[in-house]
Each structure stands twice: as structure tokens, then as C-alpha cells.
Amino acid sequence: MKMLTAVIKPFKADEVRDALAQIGVQGLTITEVKGFGRQKGHTELYRGAEYVVDFVPKIKMELAVREDQLDQAIEAIMNAAGTGKIGDGKIFVSDLEQVIRIRTGETGPEAI
């Protein structure tokens, strides 16, 4: 099992969720976050005053997938979240040692 963490642009969240649902990913967690990468923030003009926005709003999606779903899930996220412009985000893949469904006590891939 793998844990995917994707940091994407907020307006792409629904498209990514739909793309993951089409390949059979049943659950994910979404968190509103702020951060920066190569963008290093940007400047905006508000009521005539210019100010620097250091942290850019993003969406962090976390989902557990079976090994056989990994490549499909990565491809679905990349296709749905990609705009071809800076700031599209990143996908982090990590090993997931154990999953336990609290209600039933199921463990492993069955609990996903």
C-alpha cells in the first residue's frame, strides 16, 4: 500500500477528485494549505498599494491506494491537476505500513 500526498491548485480539486473516482479510488482527505515552491509568492495590488503574498493557497490531498492502483492514481492526478504553468504542484509517494478500519477492524488493503 502507498500513501499519496498531492499539493495542487485549489481550482483543480474537483477535477482531481472526479479523475480519482473514475479509476476506483474511494476515499481521500483534502486540506486547505498555504506554501511556496519555485513561485516564491507573488505581488498583488490592493487599493493602490502593492504588497507581497509570501504563501500561495493550495489544496493538499492525501489518499491511500493499493500497489496496483499507484500508477493509475499518479497519472489521474497529473492529468487532472496539470495546467502546464508554474505552481501546478507536486505528488509525494510514501510507503504505508498499516491501515485499520475503525468500525470493522479490517486491516491492510481491505481497509482502504
Side-chain angles (χ1 to χ4, degrees):
M1 297 176 296
K2 299 289 185 180
M3 176 65 81
L4 292 179
T5 303
V7 180
I8 62 171
K9 293 181 176 184
F11 66 91
K12 289 293 196 170
D14 288 336
E15 290 177 49
V16 173
R17 184 194 64 212
D18 293 343
L20 289 167
Q22 287 181 359
I23 64 164
V25 173
Q26 295 183 356
L28 59 94
T29 301
I30 295 180
T31 310
E32 293 180 8
V33 295
K34 292 182 181 182
F36 70 91
R38 290 186 178 161
Q39 286 176 282
K40 302 217 183 351
H42 60 279
T43 57
E44 288 189 5
L45 199 60
Y46 179 71
R47 293 188 178 180
E50 188 174 288
Y51 66 99
V52 176
V53 177
D54 290 327
F55 296 101
V56 180
K58 297 286 184 177
I59 294 290
K60 181 166 90 170
M61 293 185 156
E62 297 172 294
L63 55 145
V65 297
R66 297 185 320 266
E67 296 271 350
D68 62 336
Q69 286 182 311
L70 180 63
D71 292 335
Q72 283 183 304
I74 291 170
E75 187 175 334
I77 294 168
M78 289 180 66
N79 290 338
T83 65
K85 297 182 180 160
I86 192 167
D88 276 351
K90 291 202 172 33
I91 301 171
F92 303 96
V93 180
S94 54
D95 289 324
L96 187 57
E97 290 185 30
Q98 182 69 283
V99 177
I100 303 163
R101 181 169 302 181
I102 295 172
R103 180 178 54 87
T104 63
E106 291 173 294
T107 61
E110 293 79 31
I112 296 177

